[in-house]
Amino acid sequence: MQVNTWQRAPVEVQQRVLSYVSVANLGRIGHTSHYHYALMKRQVRGRVTSTLANWKLPPETLDFMREHNIVLSGSAVLAIVEPGSVEPNDLDMYVPRGGMGEVEEFLLTNSEYVKTGEGGGGVGLEEEEYTSFPFETGMKSVAFFRHRTANSIVNIIETDGTVATTAVFKFHTTFVMNYVTWNAIVCAYPKMTSDHVGLVNTHLLDIPSRMVRCLIKYAMRGFTPLERVYDWKKEDHDCGEVGYCGRSNRYVGDKYTLRMAFNDGFAIVPDVINERVSWRLNSRYLCAAKRIYRPQRGFVATVAHAEMN
């Protein structure tokens, strides 16, 4: 389709077409012109607000998230990043350590959510994953809320750190290392996620059963877990030097992370909560054609790698 024909199409038609496009590709489209940049922002904002509306959350939710440095993550955000890839049954809201009470009060006061003792059992993490192995998951506690009439589920996850996004980089695979803030969407491995592949985040030779269950769920929805970046492109590279390598040190503000503000206006700075959050994945095998088991533990920290040396 020629550009002038595309631009003459009704905005509703343009947005309908863009609704099938991954966030990674929306970012590329947005760089082609100011017009497409505005279209891209409108599309992403629409996905976020629709997600909040689908879970019957009040309009004040984004403002509340801004005030308390709260992010959305999990399968619901993966559905924003990759439309049509998953159908989540619940929405995960990550809050900094000590913030659980404020979120509970917000939901009970401003919505029809009530606290319940069980989660939704959707595409996201298993329920025991929330409260078990806090060092590995970055999660301290969880509270489940069910809507009185819609029956939708919101999981409030209190992280064990003061920066809620640190838990995101401890997830089981890279294709769920995405989150939404009050004004932005962040995707740590956009190219891989767009290809529906992701690196497994463990150094253990035998993958824990709780992680296996999660991998199976996503595999059933078309996402392929990989052990090495070599398995993605079948190309040699210097381990630890490429952003998509499981042995590379990364941080939220680096060139490999997709950070996209979705509120109106140009040159809007995306609020990523803390761009100094850094991480390295756990990995089991060297990224070479020959499969060599050489485990390496990863880390998640709240200072960029450049400042750690």
Side-chain angles (χ1 to χ4, degrees):
M1 181 182 293
Q2 295 182 354
V3 173
N4 56 355
T5 304
W6 165 253
Q7 292 187 352
R8 286 200 301 268
V11 173
E12 293 78 11
V13 173
Q14 294 173 336
Q15 290 297 325
R16 178 67 174 176
V17 172
L18 294 177
S19 69
Y20 298 98
V21 179
S22 70
V23 165
N25 287 329
L26 283 178
R28 298 185 185 99
I29 294 171
H31 281 95
T32 60
S33 68
H34 288 304
Y35 178 80
H36 288 124
Y37 181 69
L39 276 183
M40 173 270 296
K41 290 168 78 73
R42 178 172 178 174
Q43 172 62 213
V44 176
R45 183 171 63 253
R47 294 183 190 181
V48 173
T49 55
S50 292
T51 298
L52 296 178
N54 289 341
W55 267 270
K56 309 299 182 183
L57 288 170
E60 303 85 2
T61 299
L62 289 177
D63 290 335
F64 181 78
M65 289 170 58
R66 179 182 187 179
E67 293 172 6
H68 298 277
N69 290 323
I70 294 169
V71 300
L72 307 177
S73 194
S75 56
V77 174
L78 179 58
I80 294 173
V81 172
E82 288 295 312
S85 60
V86 294
E87 294 184 8
N89 294 333
D90 44 17
L91 179 67
D92 295 340
M93 185 176 290
Y94 287 77
V95 306
R97 185 180 65 231
M100 178 71 80
E102 294 170 326
V103 183
E104 290 188 10
E105 181 181 357
F106 173 78
L107 287 177
L108 295 174
T109 303
N110 297 282
S111 73
E112 294 187 51
Y113 275 95
V114 293
K115 196 171 183 180
T116 181
E118 58 183 7
V123 178
L125 298 174
E126 296 287 343
E127 290 180 23
E128 66 264 25
E129 190 84 350
Y130 290 119
T131 52
S132 301
F133 311 99
F135 177 77
E136 296 180 16
T137 64
M139 304 175 191
K140 179 183 178 184
S141 63
V142 63
F144 303 106
F145 287 80
R146 185 182 299 273
H147 196 273
R148 292 180 186 272
T149 57
N151 212 32
S152 53
I153 295 289
V154 172
N155 307 315
I156 309 302
I157 299 139
E158 181 183 8
T159 60
D160 65 0
T162 56
V163 181
T165 57
T166 54
V168 173
F169 303 105
K170 295 186 177 184
F171 287 167
H172 49 78
T173 44
T174 59
F175 42 69
V176 284
M177 291 183 182
N178 319 293
Y179 63 89
V180 167
T181 72
W182 70 275
N183 87 328
I185 188 164
V186 179
C187 179
Y189 295 85
K191 293 180 180 178
M192 274 188 160
T193 307
S194 182
D195 282 355
H196 288 201
V197 300
L199 298 173
V200 177
N201 188 22
T202 182
H203 69 283
L204 301 174
L205 181 59
D206 295 322
I207 300 179
S209 59
R210 64 188 185 280
M211 181 180 290
V212 171
R213 289 193 293 271
C214 294
L215 296 179
I216 290 173
K217 286 183 178 181
Y218 283 97
M220 291 173 62
R221 289 157 177 84
F223 287 89
T224 303
L226 306 176
E227 295 289 355
R228 313 163 300 169
V229 70
Y230 181 86
D231 297 329
W232 178 35
K233 296 293 188 179
K234 305 299 182 183
E235 297 174 350
D236 292 327
H237 70 281
D238 293 329
C239 273
E241 300 297 326
V242 179
Y244 286 87
C245 174
R247 294 175 175 249
S248 295
N249 294 331
R250 295 281 310 279
Y251 67 100
V252 174
D254 67 23
K255 66 179 182 180
Y256 297 101
T257 303
L258 185 152
R259 305 174 297 277
M260 184 182 298
F262 52 74
N263 48 349
D264 288 327
F266 293 95
I268 301 296
V269 177
D271 183 0
V272 300
I273 304 299
N274 186 339
E275 70 172 9
R276 290 150 47 94
V277 169
S278 59
W279 75 93
R280 185 179 64 223
L281 300 176
N282 296 292
S283 61
R284 302 197 294 171
Y285 299 98
L286 293 180
C287 296
K290 185 178 180 180
R291 194 179 180 89
I292 302 175
Y293 176 63
R294 189 169 297 171
Q296 177 175 279
R297 281 186 174 271
F299 68 85
V300 179
T302 52
V303 292
H305 175 63
E307 298 178 33
M308 295 174 63
N309 293 333

